[in-house]
Coordinates of all heavy atoms in Angstrom, one line a residue:
M1 N 0.9 -1.2 0.0 CA 0.0 0.0 0.0 C 0.9 1.2 0.1 O 1.8 1.4 0.8 CB -0.9 -0.1 1.2 CG -1.8 1.2 1.4 SD -2.7 1.1 2.9 CE -4.2 0.9 2.3
A2 N 0.6 2.2 -0.9 CA 1.4 3.4 -0.9 C 0.9 4.4 0.1 O -0.2 4.5 0.4 CB 1.3 4.0 -2.3
E3 N 1.9 4.9 0.7 CA 1.5 6.0 1.8 C 1.5 7.4 1.1 O 2.5 7.8 0.4 CB 2.6 5.9 2.9 CG 2.4 4.6 3.7 CD 3.3 4.5 4.9 OE1 3.7 5.6 5.4 OE2 3.7 3.4 5.3
A4 N 0.7 8.2 1.5 CA 0.6 9.5 1.0 C 1.3 10.5 1.9 O 1.4 10.2 3.1 CB -0.9 10.0 0.8
S5 N 1.6 11.6 1.5 CA 2.4 12.7 2.4 C 1.3 13.3 3.3 O 0.1 13.4 2.9 CB 2.9 13.8 1.5 OG 3.4 14.8 2.3
V6 N 1.7 13.6 4.5 CA 0.8 14.1 5.4 C 0.2 15.5 5.0 O -1.0 15.8 5.3 CB 1.5 14.4 6.8 CG1 0.6 15.0 7.8 CG2 2.0 13.0 7.3
T7 N 1.0 16.3 4.2 CA 0.5 17.6 3.8 C -0.5 17.4 2.7 O -1.2 18.3 2.5 CB 1.6 18.5 3.4 OG1 2.4 17.8 2.3 CG2 2.6 18.8 4.6
S8 N -0.6 16.3 2.0 CA -1.5 16.3 0.9 C -2.8 15.6 1.3 O -3.7 15.4 0.5 CB -0.9 15.5 -0.3 OG -0.6 14.2 0.1
I9 N -2.9 15.0 2.5 CA -4.2 14.4 3.0 C -5.2 15.4 3.3 O -4.9 16.2 4.3 CB -3.8 13.4 4.0 CG1 -2.9 12.3 3.5 CG2 -5.1 12.7 4.5 CD1 -2.5 11.4 4.6
T10 N -6.4 15.3 2.7 CA -7.5 16.0 3.2 C -8.7 15.2 3.1 O -9.1 14.6 2.1 CB -7.8 17.3 2.4 OG1 -6.8 17.5 1.5 CG2 -8.0 18.5 3.2
T11 N -9.3 14.8 4.2 CA -10.5 13.9 4.1 C -11.8 14.7 4.3 O -11.8 15.8 4.9 CB -10.4 12.9 5.3 OG1 -10.4 13.5 6.6 CG2 -9.0 12.1 5.0
A12 N -12.9 14.1 3.8 CA -14.1 14.8 4.0 C -14.7 14.6 5.3 O -15.5 15.5 5.8 CB -15.1 14.1 3.0
H13 N -14.3 13.5 6.1 CA -14.8 13.4 7.4 C -14.0 13.8 8.5 O -14.5 14.1 9.7 CB -15.1 11.8 7.6 CG -16.0 11.3 6.6 ND1 -17.4 11.7 6.5 CD2 -15.8 10.4 5.6 CE1 -17.9 11.1 5.5 NE2 -17.0 10.2 4.9
G14 N -12.7 14.0 8.3 CA -11.8 14.4 9.4 C -11.4 15.8 9.2 O -11.7 16.5 8.3
P15 N -10.5 16.3 10.1 CA -10.0 17.7 10.1 C -9.0 17.8 8.7 O -8.4 16.8 8.4 CB -9.2 17.8 11.3 CG -8.9 16.4 11.8 CD -10.0 15.5 11.2
P16 N -8.8 19.0 8.3 CA -7.9 19.2 7.2 C -6.5 18.9 7.7 O -6.2 18.9 8.9 CB -8.1 20.6 6.8 CG -8.7 21.2 8.0 CD -9.5 20.1 8.7
A17 N -5.6 18.8 6.7 CA -4.2 18.5 7.1 C -3.6 19.7 7.7 O -4.1 20.8 7.7 CB -3.4 18.2 5.8
R18 N -2.6 19.4 8.6 CA -1.9 20.4 9.4 C -1.1 21.3 8.4 O -0.4 20.9 7.4 CB -1.0 19.7 10.3 CG -0.3 20.8 11.3 CD 0.2 19.9 12.5 NE 0.7 20.9 13.4 CZ 0.0 21.2 14.5 NH1 -1.2 20.9 14.6 NH2 0.5 22.1 15.4
L19 N -1.1 22.6 8.7 CA -0.3 23.7 7.9 C 1.0 23.8 8.5 O 1.1 24.6 9.5 CB -1.2 24.9 7.8 CG -2.5 24.8 7.2 CD1 -3.2 26.2 7.3 CD2 -2.5 24.3 5.8
F20 N 2.0 23.1 8.0 CA 3.3 23.1 8.6 C 4.1 24.5 8.5 O 4.9 24.8 9.4 CB 4.2 21.9 8.0 CG 3.7 20.6 8.5 CD1 3.1 19.8 7.5 CD2 3.9 20.3 9.7 CE1 2.7 18.6 7.9 CE2 3.4 19.0 10.1 CZ 2.8 18.1 9.2
Y21 N 3.8 25.3 7.5 CA 4.3 26.6 7.3 C 3.9 27.5 8.5 O 4.7 28.4 8.9 CB 4.1 27.2 6.1 CG 2.8 27.7 5.7 CD1 2.3 29.0 6.1 CD2 1.7 26.8 5.3 CE1 1.0 29.4 5.9 CE2 0.5 27.2 5.0 CZ 0.1 28.6 5.3 OH -1.3 28.9 5.2
L22 N 2.8 27.3 9.0 CA 2.4 28.1 10.2 C 3.1 27.7 11.4 O 3.4 28.5 12.4 CB 0.8 28.1 10.4 CG 0.0 28.8 9.3 CD1 -1.5 28.5 9.5 CD2 0.4 30.2 9.3
D23 N 3.3 26.3 11.6 CA 4.2 25.9 12.8 C 5.5 26.5 12.7 O 6.0 26.9 13.7 CB 4.2 24.4 12.7 CG 3.0 23.7 13.0 OD1 2.1 24.4 13.7 OD2 2.7 22.6 12.8
K24 N 6.2 26.6 11.5 CA 7.5 27.2 11.4 C 7.5 28.7 11.6 O 8.4 29.3 12.2 CB 8.0 26.8 9.9 CG 8.3 25.3 9.8 CD 8.7 25.0 8.3 CE 8.9 23.5 8.1 NZ 9.2 23.2 6.9
L25 N 6.4 29.3 11.2 CA 6.2 30.9 11.5 C 6.1 30.9 12.9 O 6.8 32.0 13.6 CB 5.0 31.3 10.6 CG 4.8 32.8 10.8 CD1 6.1 33.5 10.1 CD2 3.5 33.2 10.0
R26 N 5.4 30.2 13.6 CA 5.2 30.3 15.1 C 6.6 30.1 15.9 O 6.9 30.8 16.8 CB 4.2 29.4 15.7 CG 2.8 29.9 15.4 CD 1.7 29.0 16.0 NE 2.2 28.0 16.8 CZ 1.7 26.8 17.0 NH1 0.6 26.5 16.4 NH2 2.1 25.9 17.9
V27 N 7.3 29.2 15.3 CA 8.7 28.9 16.0 C 9.6 30.1 15.7 O 10.3 30.5 16.7 CB 9.2 27.6 15.4 CG1 10.7 27.5 15.7 CG2 8.5 26.3 15.9
L28 N 9.4 30.6 14.6 CA 10.3 31.8 14.3 C 9.9 33.0 15.1 O 10.8 33.7 15.8 CB 10.2 32.2 12.8 CG 10.8 33.5 12.4 CD1 12.4 33.4 12.5 CD2 10.4 34.0 11.1
L29 N 8.7 33.3 15.4 CA 8.2 34.3 16.2 C 8.6 34.1 17.7 O 9.0 35.0 18.3 CB 6.7 34.6 16.1 CG 6.3 35.1 14.8 CD1 4.7 35.0 14.8 CD2 6.7 36.6 14.6
I30 N 8.4 32.9 18.1 CA 8.8 32.5 19.5 C 10.4 32.7 19.8 O 10.8 33.4 20.7 CB 8.4 31.2 19.8 CG1 6.9 31.1 20.0 CG2 9.0 30.7 21.2 CD1 6.2 29.6 20.0
S31 N 11.1 32.3 18.7 CA 12.6 32.5 18.8 C 12.9 33.9 18.9 O 13.8 34.4 19.6 CB 13.2 31.9 17.6 OG 13.1 30.5 17.6
L32 N 12.3 34.8 18.1 CA 12.5 36.2 18.0 C 12.3 36.8 19.4 O 13.0 37.8 19.9 CB 11.7 37.0 17.0 CG 12.1 36.7 15.5 CD1 11.2 37.4 14.6 CD2 13.6 37.2 15.3
I33 N 11.1 36.4 20.1 CA 10.9 36.9 21.4 C 11.8 36.5 22.5 O 12.2 37.2 23.3 CB 9.4 36.5 21.7 CG1 8.4 37.4 20.8 CG2 9.1 36.8 23.1 CD1 7.0 36.8 20.9
V34 N 12.3 35.3 22.3 CA 13.2 34.8 23.3 C 14.6 35.6 23.2 O 15.2 35.9 24.1 CB 13.6 33.2 23.2 CG1 14.7 32.8 23.8 CG2 12.3 32.5 23.7
L35 N 15.0 35.7 21.9 CA 16.2 36.6 21.6 C 16.1 37.9 22.1 O 16.9 38.5 22.6 CB 16.6 36.5 20.2 CG 17.1 35.2 19.7 CD1 17.3 35.3 18.1 CD2 18.4 34.9 20.4
M36 N 14.8 38.6 22.0 CA 14.6 39.9 22.6 C 14.8 40.0 24.0 O 15.5 40.9 24.5 CB 13.1 40.3 22.2 CG 12.9 41.8 22.7 SD 11.1 42.1 22.6 CE 10.5 41.0 23.9
H37 N 14.3 38.9 24.8 CA 14.5 38.9 26.1 C 16.0 38.7 26.6 O 16.4 39.2 27.5 CB 13.6 37.8 27.0 CG 12.2 38.3 26.8 ND1 11.2 37.8 26.0 CD2 11.5 39.2 27.6 CE1 10.0 38.4 26.3 NE2 10.2 39.2 27.2
L38 N 16.8 37.9 25.8 CA 18.0 37.8 26.0 C 18.8 39.1 25.8 O 19.8 39.4 26.4 CB 18.6 36.8 25.1 CG 18.5 35.2 25.5 CD1 18.7 34.3 24.4 CD2 19.2 35.0 26.8
A39 N 18.4 39.8 24.7 CA 19.0 41.1 24.4 C 18.8 42.1 25.6 O 19.7 42.8 26.1 CB 18.4 41.7 23.2
I40 N 17.6 42.1 26.2 CA 17.3 42.9 27.4 C 18.3 42.5 28.6 O 18.7 43.4 29.2 CB 15.9 42.9 27.7 CG1 15.0 43.6 26.6 CG2 15.7 43.7 28.9 CD1 13.6 43.5 26.8
T41 N 18.4 41.2 28.7 CA 19.3 40.7 29.7 C 20.7 41.2 29.6 O 21.3 41.5 30.6 CB 19.2 39.3 29.9 OG1 17.9 38.8 30.1 CG2 20.1 38.7 30.8
Y42 N 21.2 41.2 28.4 CA 22.6 41.6 28.1 C 22.8 42.9 27.7 O 23.8 43.2 26.9 CB 23.2 40.5 27.4 CG 23.3 39.2 28.0 CD1 22.5 38.2 27.6 CD2 24.3 39.0 29.0 CE1 22.6 37.0 28.3 CE2 24.3 37.8 29.7 CZ 23.5 36.8 29.3 OH 23.6 35.6 29.9
G43 N 21.9 44.0 28.1 CA 22.3 45.3 27.7 C 21.3 46.1 27.0 O 21.4 47.4 26.9
A44 N 20.3 45.5 26.5 CA 19.2 46.4 25.7 C 18.3 47.1 26.7 O 18.2 46.7 27.7 CB 18.5 45.5 24.7
P45 N 17.8 48.3 26.2 CA 16.9 48.9 27.1 C 15.5 48.1 27.2 O 15.1 47.4 26.3 CB 16.5 50.3 26.2 CG 16.8 49.8 24.9 CD 17.9 48.8 24.8
G46 N 14.9 48.2 28.4 CA 13.7 47.4 28.6 C 13.7 47.0 30.1 O 14.7 47.1 30.7
S47 N 12.4 46.6 30.5 CA 12.3 46.0 31.8 C 12.2 44.6 31.8 O 11.3 44.0 31.1 CB 11.2 46.7 32.5 OG 9.9 46.4 31.8
W48 N 13.1 43.9 32.5 CA 13.2 42.5 32.5 C 13.7 42.2 33.8 O 14.7 42.9 34.3 CB 14.0 41.9 31.3 CG 14.0 40.4 31.2 CD1 15.1 39.6 31.3 CD2 12.9 39.6 30.9 NE1 14.8 38.2 31.1 CE2 13.5 38.2 30.9 CE3 11.6 39.6 30.8 CZ2 12.7 37.1 30.7 CZ3 10.8 38.7 30.6 CH2 11.3 37.3 30.5
Y49 N 13.3 41.2 34.6 CA 13.8 40.9 35.9 C 15.3 40.5 36.0 O 15.8 40.6 37.1 CB 12.9 39.9 36.6 CG 12.8 38.6 36.0 CD1 13.7 37.5 36.4 CD2 11.9 38.2 35.0 CE1 13.6 36.3 35.9 CE2 11.9 37.0 34.5 CZ 12.6 36.0 34.9 OH 12.7 34.8 34.3
V50 N 16.0 40.2 34.9 CA 17.3 39.9 35.1 C 18.0 40.8 34.1 O 17.7 40.9 32.9 CB 17.6 38.4 34.7 CG1 19.1 38.1 34.6 CG2 17.0 37.4 35.6
Q51 N 19.0 41.5 34.6 CA 19.8 42.5 33.7 C 21.3 42.3 34.1 O 21.7 42.6 35.2 CB 19.4 43.9 33.8 CG 18.0 44.2 33.2 CD 17.8 45.6 33.1 OE1 18.3 46.4 33.9 NE2 16.8 46.0 32.2
E52 N 22.1 41.6 33.2 CA 23.5 41.5 33.5 C 24.3 42.7 33.3 O 25.3 43.0 34.0 CB 24.0 40.4 32.4 CG 23.5 39.0 32.6 CD 24.3 38.3 33.8 OE1 25.6 38.5 33.9 OE2 23.7 37.5 34.6
V53 N 23.9 43.5 32.2 CA 24.7 44.8 32.0 C 23.7 45.9 32.0 O 22.6 45.9 31.4 CB 25.3 44.6 30.5 CG1 26.0 45.8 30.3 CG2 26.2 43.4 30.5
N54 N 24.1 47.0 32.5 CA 23.4 48.2 32.5 C 23.4 48.9 31.1 O 24.4 49.0 30.5 CB 23.9 49.3 33.6 CG 23.1 50.4 33.7 OD1 22.0 50.5 33.1 ND2 23.5 51.3 34.7
F55 N 22.2 49.4 30.6 CA 22.2 50.0 29.3 C 23.1 51.2 29.2 O 23.6 51.5 28.0 CB 20.7 50.4 29.0 CG 20.5 50.9 27.6 CD1 20.6 50.3 26.5 CD2 20.1 52.3 27.5 CE1 20.5 50.7 25.3 CE2 20.0 52.8 26.2 CZ 20.1 52.1 25.2
D56 N 23.3 51.9 30.1 CA 24.2 53.2 30.1 C 25.7 52.8 30.0 O 26.5 53.7 29.6 CB 24.0 54.0 31.4 CG 22.5 54.4 31.6 OD1 21.9 54.6 30.5 OD2 22.1 54.5 32.7
T57 N 26.1 51.5 30.3 CA 27.5 51.3 30.2 C 28.0 50.7 29.0 O 29.1 50.3 28.7 CB 27.9 50.3 31.4 OG1 27.2 49.1 31.3 CG2 27.6 50.8 32.7
I58 N 27.1 50.3 28.0 CA 27.5 49.7 26.7 C 27.7 50.8 25.7 O 27.4 51.9 25.8 CB 26.4 48.7 26.2 CG1 25.1 49.3 25.9 CG2 26.2 47.6 27.2 CD1 24.0 48.5 25.3
G59 N 28.4 50.4 24.5 CA 28.8 51.4 23.5 C 27.6 51.8 22.8 O 26.4 51.2 22.7
V60 N 27.8 52.9 22.0 CA 26.8 53.5 21.2 C 26.3 52.7 20.1 O 25.0 52.5 19.9 CB 27.2 54.8 20.6 CG1 26.1 55.5 19.6 CG2 27.5 55.8 21.7
G61 N 27.2 51.9 19.3 CA 26.8 51.1 18.3 C 25.9 49.9 18.8 O 24.9 49.6 18.1
L62 N 26.3 49.3 19.9 CA 25.5 48.3 20.5 C 24.2 48.7 21.0 O 23.1 48.1 20.9 CB 26.3 47.5 21.6 CG 26.0 46.1 22.0 CD1 25.9 45.2 20.8 CD2 26.9 45.6 23.1
K63 N 24.1 49.9 21.5 CA 22.9 50.4 21.9 C 21.9 50.6 20.7 O 20.8 50.3 20.6 CB 23.0 51.9 22.5 CG 23.5 51.9 24.0 CD 23.6 53.2 24.4 CE 24.2 53.4 25.8 NZ 24.1 54.8 26.4
I64 N 22.4 51.1 19.5 CA 21.6 51.2 18.4 C 21.1 49.8 17.9 O 19.9 49.8 17.5 CB 22.4 51.9 17.3 CG1 22.6 53.4 17.6 CG2 21.8 51.9 15.9 CD1 23.5 54.1 16.7
V65 N 22.0 48.9 17.8 CA 21.5 47.6 17.4 C 20.5 47.0 18.4 O 19.6 46.5 17.9 CB 22.8 46.6 17.4 CG1 22.4 45.1 17.1 CG2 23.8 47.1 16.2
Y66 N 20.8 47.0 19.6 CA 19.8 46.4 20.6 C 18.5 47.2 20.5 O 17.4 46.5 20.5 CB 20.3 46.6 22.0 CG 21.3 45.4 22.3 CD1 22.3 45.5 23.4 CD2 21.2 44.2 21.7 CE1 23.1 44.6 23.8 CE2 22.1 43.1 22.2 CZ 23.0 43.4 23.3 OH 23.9 42.4 23.6
T67 N 18.5 48.5 20.5 CA 17.2 49.2 20.5 C 16.3 49.0 19.2 O 15.3 48.8 19.2 CB 17.5 50.7 20.6 OG1 18.4 50.9 21.8 CG2 16.3 51.5 20.7
T68 N 17.2 48.9 18.1 CA 16.4 48.7 16.9 C 15.8 47.3 16.9 O 14.7 47.2 16.4 CB 17.5 48.9 15.6 OG1 18.0 50.1 15.7 CG2 16.8 48.6 14.3
Y69 N 16.6 46.3 17.3 CA 16.1 45.0 17.3 C 15.0 44.9 18.2 O 13.8 44.3 17.8 CB 17.2 44.0 17.6 CG 16.6 42.5 17.8 CD1 16.4 41.8 16.7 CD2 16.4 42.0 19.0 CE1 15.8 40.5 16.8 CE2 15.8 40.7 19.1 CZ 15.7 40.0 18.0 OH 15.2 38.8 18.1
N70 N 14.9 45.3 19.4 CA 13.9 45.2 20.3 C 12.7 46.0 19.9 O 11.5 45.5 20.0 CB 14.4 45.8 21.8 CG 15.1 44.7 22.4 OD1 15.3 43.6 22.0 ND2 15.6 45.0 23.7
A71 N 12.9 47.2 19.3 CA 11.7 48.0 18.8 C 11.0 47.2 17.7 O 9.7 47.1 17.6 CB 12.2 49.3 18.4
T72 N 11.7 46.6 16.9 CA 11.2 45.8 15.7 C 10.4 44.8 16.1 O 9.2 44.5 15.7 CB 12.2 45.4 14.7 OG1 13.0 46.6 14.3 CG2 11.7 44.8 13.6
V73 N 11.0 43.9 17.0 CA 10.3 42.7 17.5 C 9.0 43.0 18.4 O 8.0 42.4 18.2 CB 11.2 41.8 18.3 CG1 10.5 40.7 19.0 CG2 12.3 41.2 17.4
Q74 N 9.2 44.0 19.2 CA 8.1 44.4 20.0 C 6.9 44.9 19.3 O 5.8 45.0 19.5 CB 8.5 45.4 21.1 CG 9.3 44.7 22.2 CD 9.8 45.7 23.3 OE1 9.5 46.9 23.1 NE2 10.7 45.2 24.3
A75 N 7.3 45.6 18.0 CA 6.1 46.3 17.3 C 5.4 45.3 16.5 O 4.2 45.6 16.3 CB 6.9 47.2 16.3
F76 N 5.9 44.0 16.1 CA 5.1 43.2 15.3 C 4.9 41.8 15.9 O 3.9 41.2 15.5 CB 5.6 43.1 13.9 CG 6.7 42.2 13.7 CD1 6.5 40.8 13.5 CD2 8.1 42.6 13.9 CE1 7.5 40.0 13.4 CE2 9.1 41.7 13.8 CZ 8.8 40.4 13.4
A77 N 5.7 41.2 16.8 CA 5.6 39.9 17.1 C 4.2 39.5 17.8 O 3.5 38.6 17.5 CB 6.8 39.5 18.1
L78 N 3.9 40.2 18.9 CA 2.7 39.8 19.6 C 1.4 40.1 18.8 O 0.5 39.3 18.7 CB 2.5 40.5 20.8 CG 1.5 40.2 21.9 CD1 1.6 38.7 22.3 CD2 1.4 41.0 23.1
G79 N 1.4 41.1 17.9 CA 0.3 41.3 17.0 C 0.1 40.4 16.0 O -1.0 40.1 15.7
F80 N 1.3 39.8 15.6 CA 1.2 38.7 14.5 C 0.7 37.4 15.1 O -0.1 36.8 14.4 CB 2.6 38.6 13.9 CG 2.5 38.0 12.6 CD1 2.0 38.5 11.5 CD2 3.2 36.8 12.3 CE1 1.9 37.9 10.3 CE2 3.2 36.1 11.1 CZ 2.5 36.8 10.0
F81 N 1.0 37.2 16.4 CA 0.4 36.0 17.1 C -1.0 36.2 17.1 O -1.8 35.3 16.8 CB 0.9 35.8 18.4 CG 2.2 35.1 18.5 CD1 3.3 35.6 19.2 CD2 2.3 33.8 17.9 CE1 4.5 34.7 19.2 CE2 3.4 33.0 18.0 CZ 4.5 33.5 18.7
F82 N -1.6 37.4 17.4 CA -3.0 37.7 17.6 C -3.7 37.6 16.2 O -4.8 37.1 15.9 CB -3.3 39.0 18.2 CG -3.1 39.0 19.7 CD1 -2.4 40.1 20.2 CD2 -3.7 38.0 20.5 CE1 -2.3 40.1 21.6 CE2 -3.4 38.1 21.9 CZ -2.7 39.1 22.4
L83 N -3.1 37.9 15.1 CA -3.6 37.9 13.8 C -3.7 36.4 13.4 O -4.7 36.1 12.8 CB -2.6 38.6 12.8 CG -3.0 38.5 11.3 CD1 -4.1 39.5 11.2 CD2 -1.9 38.8 10.4
L84 N -2.7 35.6 13.7 CA -2.7 34.1 13.4 C -4.0 33.5 14.1 O -4.7 32.8 13.5 CB -1.5 33.5 13.6 CG -0.3 33.8 12.7 CD1 1.0 33.1 13.3 CD2 -0.6 33.3 11.2
S85 N -4.0 33.8 15.4 CA -5.2 33.1 16.2 C -6.5 33.7 15.8 O -7.5 32.9 15.7 CB -4.9 33.4 17.7 OG -5.1 34.8 18.0
G86 N -6.5 34.9 15.4 CA -7.9 35.5 15.0 C -8.4 34.8 13.6 O -9.5 34.6 13.3
Y87 N -7.4 34.5 12.7 CA -7.6 34.0 11.4 C -8.2 32.6 11.6 O -9.1 32.2 10.9 CB -6.3 34.0 10.6 CG -6.6 33.4 9.2 CD1 -7.2 34.1 8.2 CD2 -6.1 32.2 8.9 CE1 -7.3 33.5 6.9 CE2 -6.2 31.5 7.7 CZ -6.8 32.2 6.7 OH -7.0 31.8 5.5
F88 N -7.7 31.8 12.6 CA -8.2 30.5 12.8 C -9.3 30.3 13.7 O -9.9 29.1 13.9 CB -7.1 29.5 13.1 CG -6.1 29.4 11.9 CD1 -4.8 30.0 12.0 CD2 -6.4 28.6 10.8 CE1 -3.9 29.7 10.9 CE2 -5.5 28.4 9.8 CZ -4.4 29.0 9.8
T89 N -9.8 31.3 14.4 CA -10.8 31.3 15.3 C -12.1 30.9 14.7 O -12.9 30.1 15.3 CB -10.9 32.5 16.2 OG1 -9.7 32.8 16.8 CG2 -12.1 32.5 17.3
A90 N -12.4 31.5 13.6 CA -13.7 31.3 12.9 C -13.8 29.8 12.5 O -15.0 29.2 12.6 CB -13.8 32.2 11.8
A91 N -12.8 29.2 12.1 CA -12.8 27.8 11.6 C -13.0 26.9 12.8 O -13.6 25.8 12.5 CB -11.5 27.5 10.9
S92 N -12.6 27.2 13.9 CA -12.7 26.4 15.1 C -14.1 26.3 15.7 O -14.6 25.6 16.2 CB -11.7 26.6 16.2 OG -11.9 27.9 16.7

C-alpha cells in the first residue's frame, strides 16, 4: 500500500491537514521573542527581571543595534500572534 504525504491528505470526514508553514512561522516568532528577552538581559533597554549589563555602560553602536532589534520585535511579534489566532478562530 502506498503512503501519502501528510500535507496532501484532506479527508471529507476528518480535520484538514496540518499547515506546517504556520508551525514554522510560530517557531520563528517565539525565537525572536526569546532573543529579545536575551538582548534585554545583556544590555538592551527595557524592563526584564534579570539584567547582566546596564544599558548606560554599553557602547553607542551596540545601543543602536539592541534598540532597533527590540523595537522591531516588540512592534510586530505579539500582534502577529493575535492575527494568526484570529484567522483560525472562525474555523474552530
Side-chain angles (χ1 to χ4, degrees):
M1 174 185 249
E3 293 186 26
S5 172
V6 175
T7 57
S8 65
I9 298 174
T10 352
T11 62
H13 302 295
R18 188 166 185 92
L19 302 172
F20 290 109
Y21 69 93
L22 289 176
D23 291 338
K24 293 176 184 176
L25 184 62
R26 284 185 6 212
V27 168
L28 174 70
L29 288 173
I30 291 169
S31 300
L32 289 175
I33 291 173
V34 168
L35 289 173
M36 179 194 66
H37 286 104
L38 281 173
I40 293 172
T41 300
Y42 291 106
S47 61
W48 185 242
Y49 60 92
V50 176
Q51 288 188 338
E52 290 277 326
V53 179
N54 189 358
F55 182 67
D56 298 329
T57 62
I58 63 174
V60 175
L62 202 52
K63 282 183 183 181
I64 292 171
V65 170
Y66 278 155
T67 304
T68 304
Y69 176 75
N70 281 357
T72 305
V73 171
Q74 289 177 3
F76 80 88
L78 190 60
F80 201 60
F81 272 127
F82 285 136
L83 178 77
L84 287 175
S85 65
Y87 180 75
F88 290 105
T89 299
S92 66

